[in-house]
Amino acid sequence: MSDYQSHDDKDTPALRLIHLLRAVTVELHLRGAEFAGRNGLHPTDLRALIRLLDADRAGETVTPGRLGEALQLNSAGTTALLDRLERLGLVRRVRDEGDRRRVLLAVEEKAVELGWSFFGPLIGALTEATEDFTPAELDVVRRYLTAALRAATSPTAAP
């Protein structure tokens, strides 16, 4: 019997939480795939847009190389991805004013508007769902999700 099966046979609060997180992840993935399909995007295009929007919100700059690394794409794949997103008017390449040799990526307003038109109602519903929780409870959820993200991105989590 595998280690997973032996743990899965136990109905523990931790496993119930993990299974619920998996179900939420699947539903969000389905919503993302629907959005990508409706807008002529490859799933990797959507992941790139999310990464760029997150970076923009955090005030981070992203180069094509850093984006490719984050998405585990080689240089040619990253270039093809950026070409597609530029053709759709969702992303643009701009020269770094501090180092003209360096290219930075910027998300166009069209991408933000497109995302909000589709995901806005979901974001609203998720935000509304937080109203049933105290700030302390939300902090516990944030701590758990942060730890789950750290575990999922850990090199030891890879098969």
Side-chain angles (χ1 to χ4, degrees):
M1 182 182 312
S2 76
D3 190 42
Y4 176 76
Q5 287 172 326
S6 65
H7 288 290
D8 197 36
D9 290 341
K10 299 174 186 171
D11 188 27
T12 66
L15 282 176
R16 285 193 301 271
L17 185 60
I18 290 165
H19 291 151
L20 185 58
L21 179 59
R22 181 181 60 200
V24 170
T25 302
V26 167
E27 289 303 318
L28 292 175
H29 179 76
L30 290 172
R31 291 282 183 107
E34 181 184 350
F35 173 80
R38 282 188 186 182
N39 293 288
L41 299 172
H42 185 278
T44 305
D45 299 344
L46 178 58
R47 289 197 329 266
L49 284 173
I50 291 168
R51 171 66 182 101
L52 292 169
L53 288 165
D54 287 349
D56 186 60
R57 194 173 54 253
E60 300 171 1
T61 58
V62 179
T63 63
R66 286 176 65 192
L67 180 65
E69 185 179 297
L71 299 174
Q72 299 180 349
L73 295 175
N74 62 25
S75 180
T78 302
T79 298
L81 168 115
L82 291 173
D83 288 346
R84 284 192 306 272
L85 294 178
E86 274 190 320
R87 270 193 308 276
L88 292 169
L90 302 175
V91 171
R92 66 185 150 81
R93 296 170 173 109
V94 295
R95 292 276 171 210
D96 183 345
E97 291 300 319
D99 181 353
R100 302 284 298 153
R101 297 169 294 172
R102 198 165 89 134
V103 173
L104 303 177
L105 302 174
V107 178
E108 296 286 10
E109 187 61 30
K110 177 182 176 181
V112 175
E113 292 168 3
L114 190 64
W116 272 107
S117 71
F118 185 86
F119 290 108
L122 174 61
I123 291 169
L126 292 170
T127 301
E128 190 175 301
T130 66
E131 294 171 3
D132 292 337
F133 297 88
T134 67
E137 289 171 324
L138 290 174
D139 187 56
V140 170
V141 173
R142 182 196 53 76
R143 284 182 30 237
Y144 174 74
L145 291 175
T146 299
L149 179 60
R150 193 171 27 254
T153 58
S154 166
T156 60

